[in-house]
Amino acid sequence: MEALSPPDFVLLEWLARDPGTFRDRPPSVDAPAVQGRSLEALARLGYDVESHPVNGFRLRHGVDAMDRQRVQEGLRTESLGRFLVCHIQTGSTNDLAWALAADGAPAGATVTAEHQTAGRGRLGRPWFSPPGSGLWVSVLLRPEWTLDRAGLVTLGAGVAVSGAIASFGVECRLKWPNDVQIRRHKVAGILTESRTESNRIAEAVVGIGINVHQEIDTFPPELRDIATSLCIEGCRVERSILLQEILNRMEDVFALEPATILKRWEERATGWGEPVRVETGDETFIGKMVRLTETGALVLERSDGSERTIHAGDVHRLRKA
Ligand code: BTN
């Protein structure tokens, strides 16, 4: 487990950039108007900011703010996170990533926000994204994959996220199709959106939400029994370092053969052989989870021995008889 050990002050290098564009800007001293707006936004979110005569604006000791420089200094990737924008507040980082894509940003472009006002999850559900407490990040991919591999994007991201969390000493498991769990409580979710061209995935945005610093009583009551955070599980980690680890792992995972991605996912998943109920929206199926198909669909074995392949749905664990 890595201790939270930020430097005395975290230099807010990213305050220098205009949050509206993807182009880098000169150091913060050249952009006082942007800085002023950003500082106000940070203060509204409750961050403790001070000005330093030499180094510009800094957060006071102990505050964990997403820091582009800190993320990038340990990146081993070719593309993921090389173009990185850290916003203070936005609706959804997935929307920002799509806007970057439309602006011609490079594959691997990554966008984070301290706070999402309209974070979204799978099936249009809201995603609780309070300021400063989670890693809310979206990554733009141009995977050159055929459509039948679309499901592998989420599964591959899950392998990377769960591996990163585990590397900080926390035992976590994957739940089909897009959850990361600790003690069967959701710590992270993945939302993949894609734009297709004929039979190919032209672009995909992988949105990842990880609960990092929340205490249990800061979750809305309806989430308290089903959600958790790394902090609740005894893990203190800087979000910038967590993101760095995820990006490094994600690039490695997406270079693997599909069969290997599936195998890694299955090894990290929970619930094999257990009875589950799967709700697809129109139908409900009951059976044992037995494996994934080569496109990442879930195969259930029913009580009569027949198999049913599920392409999308919510899995609920049934108590073992
Ligand atoms: C889910 O479990 O349903 C998926 C949750 C995905 C949440 C992340 S947070 C960053 C990105 N921006 C969003 O609006 N959603 C994803």
Side-chain angles (χ1 to χ4, degrees), residues 1-3 167-170 230 233-237:
M1 195 178 305
E2 175 160 310
S167 76
F168 294 102
V170 186
L230 295 180
E233 303 301 328
C235 174
R236 303 291 289 174
V237 58

Coordinates of all heavy atoms in Angstrom, one line a residue, residues 1-3 167-170 230 233-237:
M1 N 0.8 -1.2 0.0 CA 0.0 0.0 0.0 C 0.9 1.3 0.0 O 1.8 1.3 0.8 CB -0.9 0.0 1.2 CG -2.0 0.9 1.2 SD -3.0 0.8 2.6 CE -3.4 -0.9 2.7
E2 N 0.6 2.2 -0.8 CA 1.4 3.4 -0.9 C 0.9 4.5 -0.1 O -0.3 4.8 -0.1 CB 1.5 3.9 -2.4 CG 2.3 5.2 -2.5 CD 2.8 5.4 -3.9 OE1 3.4 4.4 -4.4 OE2 2.5 6.4 -4.4
A3 N 1.7 5.1 0.8 CA 1.2 6.2 1.6 C 1.0 7.4 0.7 O 1.6 7.6 -0.3 CB 2.3 6.5 2.7
S167 N -2.3 -3.1 -7.3 CA -0.8 -2.8 -7.1 C -0.6 -1.9 -5.9 O 0.5 -1.7 -5.4 CB -0.2 -2.2 -8.4 OG -0.7 -0.8 -8.5
F168 N -1.7 -1.3 -5.4 CA -1.6 -0.5 -4.2 C -2.0 -1.3 -3.0 O -2.3 -0.7 -1.9 CB -2.4 0.8 -4.3 CG -1.9 1.7 -5.4 CD1 -2.5 1.8 -6.6 CD2 -0.7 2.5 -5.1 CE1 -2.0 2.7 -7.6 CE2 -0.2 3.3 -6.1 CZ -0.8 3.4 -7.4
G169 N -2.1 -2.6 -3.1 CA -2.3 -3.5 -2.0 C -3.7 -3.8 -1.6 O -4.0 -4.3 -0.6
V170 N -4.6 -3.5 -2.5 CA -6.0 -3.8 -2.2 C -6.6 -4.9 -3.1 O -6.4 -4.9 -4.3 CB -6.9 -2.5 -2.5 CG1 -8.3 -2.8 -2.0 CG2 -6.3 -1.3 -1.8
L230 N -11.4 3.6 -2.0 CA -10.1 3.1 -1.6 C -9.8 3.5 -0.2 O -9.2 2.8 0.6 CB -9.0 3.6 -2.6 CG -9.1 3.1 -4.0 CD1 -8.0 3.7 -4.9 CD2 -9.1 1.6 -4.0
E233 N -11.3 1.4 2.3 CA -10.6 0.1 2.3 C -9.2 0.2 2.9 O -8.4 -0.7 2.8 CB -10.6 -0.6 0.9 CG -12.0 -0.7 0.3 CD -12.9 -1.6 1.2 OE1 -12.4 -2.5 1.8 OE2 -14.2 -1.4 1.2
G234 N -8.9 1.4 3.4 CA -7.6 1.5 4.1 C -6.4 1.9 3.1 O -5.3 1.8 3.5
C235 N -6.8 2.3 1.9 CA -5.7 2.6 0.9 C -5.7 4.1 0.7 O -6.7 4.7 0.2 CB -6.0 1.8 -0.3 SG -4.8 2.3 -1.7
R236 N -4.6 4.8 1.0 CA -4.4 6.2 0.7 C -3.5 6.3 -0.5 O -2.4 5.9 -0.5 CB -3.8 6.9 1.9 CG -4.6 6.8 3.2 CD -5.9 7.5 3.1 NE -5.7 9.0 3.2 CZ -6.8 9.8 3.1 NH1 -8.0 9.4 2.9 NH2 -6.6 11.1 3.1
V237 N -4.0 6.9 -1.6 CA -3.2 7.0 -2.8 C -3.5 8.3 -3.4 O -4.6 8.8 -3.4 CB -3.5 5.8 -3.7 CG1 -4.9 5.7 -4.1 CG2 -2.6 5.8 -4.9

